[in-house]
Amino acid sequence: MDDPIPISSLQHYAFCPRQCAYIHIERIWQDNYLTAKGNQLHDRVHGNESEKRGNLKTERSVQVSSERYGLVGQLDMLEIQSEPFQLTPVEYKRGKPKISDCDRIQLCAQVLCLEEMRNVSIYRAALWYWQVRKREWIEIDESIRNLTIDTINAVHKLIESNSLPKAIYTA
């Protein structure tokens, strides 16, 4: 894989391939109220420093990458439990849990990067939604891994094509 793609592009693609192309090929993006609010909330998450409570350490704004999958990105938060050793990425989202897998794909890609970088296995991660103020635990099983790898390959192919997919009109 030539140039690494941002992990966020996977979430964009899973939501809408055309949106992904507008953002990552055409470089057309304009914040609206909702995205600006999401950026503001992420700034709060990323602004805090690491902390330690008992055997749990939290790191914020953790840079990750994968040569194998051609990915780069940043974790909102990584929880590191010392006994027993366990890494748990936590992705913060402005809204509420979605029916689609777009957020879970983004989170799984973060897991794939961490596993490669730190030579560990991760079987569970979390999405934290501001609107409902609670975590959604995600099992990182074979199904979500395969879906994520398929999405990674599709985004690489889309960006290499340098073309805008046709619009798909739905309700």
Side-chain angles (χ1 to χ4, degrees):
M1 311 218 171
D2 295 328
D3 293 327
I5 58 172
I7 291 173
S8 62
S9 68
L10 305 176
Q11 196 270 357
H12 298 145
Y13 184 90
F15 178 75
C16 172
R18 190 170 171 90
Q19 178 199 58
C20 180
Y22 274 128
I23 296 169
H24 300 282
I25 295 173
E26 302 288 330
R27 306 280 188 222
I28 298 172
W29 177 256
Q30 186 172 355
D31 279 328
N32 61 25
Y33 171 78
L34 297 175
T35 57
K37 186 70 174 168
N39 291 338
Q40 181 183 36
L41 296 172
H42 269 91
D43 287 345
R44 286 177 40 193
V45 172
H46 292 257
N48 295 333
E49 295 189 15
S50 297
E51 58 185 72
K52 187 167 173 40
R53 292 183 189 168
N55 74 341
L56 184 67
K57 179 182 177 186
T58 59
E59 295 179 357
R60 299 176 190 281
S61 303
V62 178
Q63 301 299 312
V64 294
S65 63
S66 167
E67 286 186 35
R68 178 178 181 187
Y69 296 109
L71 296 172
V72 294
Q74 177 174 282
L75 306 181
D76 289 334
M77 185 169 70
L78 178 61
E79 294 180 344
I80 305 165
Q81 182 178 312
S82 58
E83 290 296 325
F85 181 76
Q86 182 177 323
L87 299 178
T88 306
V90 181
E91 175 67 19
Y92 283 72
K93 296 293 183 184
R94 183 203 61 78
K96 59 186 178 184
K98 297 173 182 67
I99 294 170
S100 79
D101 286 319
C102 60
D103 293 343
R104 290 180 280 283
I105 288 168
Q106 181 181 5
L107 184 64
C108 183
Q110 294 172 355
V111 167
L112 295 174
C113 290
L114 277 172
E115 288 180 332
E116 181 179 324
M117 291 173 65
R118 300 200 182 182
N119 195 28
V120 296
S121 295
I122 299 171
Y123 302 102
R124 188 168 97 143
L127 294 162
W128 196 89
Y129 290 97
W130 290 95
Q131 192 170 340
V132 295
R133 299 212 186 295
K134 70 176 197 174
R135 280 188 181 188
E136 178 182 328
W137 287 100
I138 306 300
E139 298 302 316
I140 308 298
D141 58 17
E142 186 176 342
S143 174
I144 192 65
R145 288 174 187 273
N146 290 337
L147 181 59
T148 301
I149 292 166
D150 290 346
T151 305
I152 292 167
N153 293 332
V155 172
H156 277 291
K157 185 177 176 183
L158 174 68
I159 291 175
E160 288 168 11
S161 78
N162 201 34
S163 62
L164 189 64
K166 292 183 180 181
I168 298 172
Y169 297 99
T170 63

